Structures are given as C-alpha cells and as structure tokens.
Amino acid sequence: MPVIRDRVHQARVKNALEPEWEARFEARSYGFRPGRSCHDAISTIHTVTSGKHTKRQWVLDADLAAAFDRINHDRLLEAIASFPGRNMIRRWLKAGVMESGRFAPTSEGTPQGGVVSPLLLNIALHGMTQAAGAAERTTRANPAAPSLIRYADDFVVLCTTKEEALLVKHRLTRWLAPKGLTFNEEKTRVVHLSEGFDFLGFNIQRPRNGKVIIKPSKDAIKRLTRTLKERIRTMVAWPLDSVIRGLNPIIRGWSTYYRGVVSSNVFAMLDTYMFQRL
C-alpha cells in the first residue's frame, strides 16, 4: 500500500491525467470512471439483449487473470506517452514491495491500493472494443456487430453466433498478450443467453420466451447469507434492537445495490429464501 504522501501525489496525477483519457475511453467502458456505475453496465446489457428480434444471443463471459498484477509496464508507459507525470508513474510502477521486512522488485503490475491504479488499468485496456471487432454503439449500418461491455477487467461480449464469440476470444487473446494479460480459462466461457451468465453480482438470462431476466446471482446470495450468519453468531447475547442496528447496514447496502435493477417480486422471493436459510 502506498504511504499517504504517495497517495496524495497519485491523486494529483490522476486528476491531471483522467480528463484526457475520459475524452478517449470507449462508450461502453464503465469501471472506475466518474459518473458511471455497475448499474450502467447492466442496463446496457439489458438494452442490447432485449427485444423480440435481437440477434446477439451468444455471450463471451470473460475474466482476466490477475489483471492489476500483470500489466506490462513498457506498454502502459507507451500509451501514456508524453504526459508530464510519466516519470512519476514509472517510479511508482517500479518502486517494489516491502513485505515482512523483505524487498521484492515489481517488474509488472500496478501498485496495490494505489489511487491511480484503476485509471492505469483502464488505459492499459483501452482499445479492447476495436480489437474485438465490436461496435461502440448499436447502429443501423451494422446492427449485428458484437457488443463489448466492460467494467474494469471484467467484461462480456455479446455475439450473434458461438463461432463469432470464439473468434472474438481469439482476437482478444492476441491483443492482450503484449500487455502481459491473459484470460482466466477456468472462469472464461462462451454461453447462450438462454443458459444465463453472471456479471457484477447479477445473473442475466433470456429464456426462450424472449424476456430478459436480471436477478442477484447465486454466488451473491450465498455471500450475503454467509455474512449475515457470521454476524448473527457474534450477536447471540445482544438485545434485539442492537441486533437490528448491526444488521441494517448490510441489508441496506444489499438493497441499494440490487433494487435499482431488480424487480420487487425478485426481492420477495429473495426474502423468503433468506429466512429459510437463516
């Protein structure tokens, strides 16, 4: 973790570098960008996949292996080009890590916990849409082009056929390699929308009737259940009002994240599920 002084300098560099890149980043990149959120990414997926005549029914559900830890320094600095703070960024990247009194050099990756690290990741991944052969936006001229929606290092590509999804994966594998990045093959898959896929804690599925269903993923529900169970076990001897005050922030955070996208009937089903499990 960078010390406070370095974090201040990183925030200063980020404030200077970010406006330039905000004007250049792809329209469907949402992670760690001002005024954008996970819900914007989910809403875009819903827009692209809904409708009776949508053609993009195959999904490359992709995951990059330790992206923050493996970014190629030379390629990243090449992208930053002549930015005045370039030398400061280079020194942060090459600073190394102290752990248990031992120094380890850093030949790749961005500083863990660094204020500027998320922006550097987005810079490193800029151009992914073009590399995948995807459209920036849905247009009449090319309505069936692949659509790539990215949130930091987590992204999906919506395609018309399985073969096209596999071709996009091949293109991106070649594009990512010089940047030091690879797919996590265990978590990357090509699926049909009718099977559904998880993205940013949501499960998106389009059954054969054509209606897109978005709900909390099973993993997200399991994490919430586990968190509540662990918290309740530590509150066995607490008064009821204290238990409620202790659980409310967790429940409120969950509701705030999911209620903006998920319909109320899903929450009713989720409430029943939670009481049965707890």
Side-chain angles (χ1 to χ4, degrees):
M1 300 289 289
V3 297
I4 297 297
R5 183 174 181 176
D6 280 338
R7 292 173 69 84
V8 170
H9 283 301
Q10 287 189 21
R12 183 166 61 93
V13 168
K14 175 179 177 290
N15 289 339
L17 184 61
E18 189 172 58
E20 173 195 348
W21 283 92
E22 275 299 310
R24 300 166 60 182
F25 283 147
E26 293 106 334
R28 290 178 174 172
S29 164
Y30 297 97
F32 306 120
R33 295 183 60 189
R36 293 174 174 241
S37 67
C38 299
H39 299 97
D40 294 323
I42 297 298
S43 177
T44 299
I45 292 175
H46 181 269
T47 300
V48 174
T49 57
S50 61
K52 292 182 179 180
H53 305 294
T54 183
K55 297 181 179 181
R56 302 177 182 89
Q57 304 231 12
W58 285 91
V59 184
L60 171 61
D61 181 14
D63 183 81
L64 298 182
F68 279 97
D69 298 332
R70 297 184 179 179
I71 294 175
N72 183 286
H73 291 172
D74 293 336
R75 287 301 180 104
L76 177 57
L77 292 170
E78 181 181 319
I80 295 172
S82 59
F83 173 70
R86 185 176 184 274
N87 288 333
M88 293 182 70
I89 293 174
R90 182 183 59 80
R91 290 197 295 270
W92 290 327
L93 294 174
K94 303 292 186 182
V97 178
M98 288 292 294
E99 185 174 358
S100 301
R102 295 184 178 180
F103 175 80
T106 49
S107 58
E108 59 184 5
T110 58
Q112 183 179 7
V115 177
V116 75
S117 293
L119 175 59
L120 295 179
L121 176 69
N122 276 334
I123 292 173
L125 294 179
H126 177 63
M128 180 180 286
T129 299
Q130 183 178 0
E136 279 283 331
R137 293 181 174 87
T138 302
T139 62
R140 293 182 180 180
N142 197 3
S147 179
L148 188 149
I149 296 96
R150 180 171 68 84
Y151 191 93
D153 59 336
D154 196 5
F155 65 93
V156 295
V157 187
L158 304 167
C159 304
T160 56
T161 65
K162 183 177 182 179
E163 291 72 22
E164 184 178 52
L166 292 172
L167 177 60
V168 168
K169 182 185 176 185
H170 176 69
R171 289 174 179 168
L172 290 179
T173 299
R174 296 179 60 183
W175 182 77
L176 290 166
K179 301 176 183 292
L181 301 174
T182 59
F183 284 109
N184 183 336
E185 295 295 344
E186 293 182 359
K187 296 183 179 180
T188 299
R189 60 191 188 126
V190 173
V191 296
H192 194 270
L193 267 177
S194 60
E195 300 176 49
F197 64 96
D198 292 346
F199 188 61
L200 302 178
F202 292 90
N203 178 266
I204 299 101
Q205 186 177 18
R206 180 185 166 121
R208 296 298 180 181
N209 62 12
K211 183 178 181 180
V212 178
I213 298 174
I214 300 176
K215 59 185 179 181
S217 68
K218 291 182 179 179
D219 287 342
I221 295 174
K222 287 180 180 178
R223 286 194 298 270
L224 176 63
T225 305
R226 184 168 57 250
T227 299
L228 291 177
K229 279 185 175 180
E230 292 172 354
R231 183 61 63 89
I232 290 171
R233 288 194 186 102
T234 66
M235 299 176 174
V236 173
W238 289 25
L240 181 58
D241 59 340
S242 297
V243 173
I244 293 172
R245 283 198 300 269
L247 295 179
N248 270 347
I250 302 173
I251 298 170
R252 190 179 296 117
W254 168 275
S255 300
T256 300
Y257 184 72
Y258 286 102
R259 196 171 292 278
V261 176
V262 182
S263 60
S264 58
N265 63 325
V266 172
F267 273 93
M269 292 170 19
L270 178 61
D271 291 340
T272 302
Y273 172 84
M274 289 295 298
F275 278 115
Q276 290 174 349
R277 295 297 300 272
L278 293 172

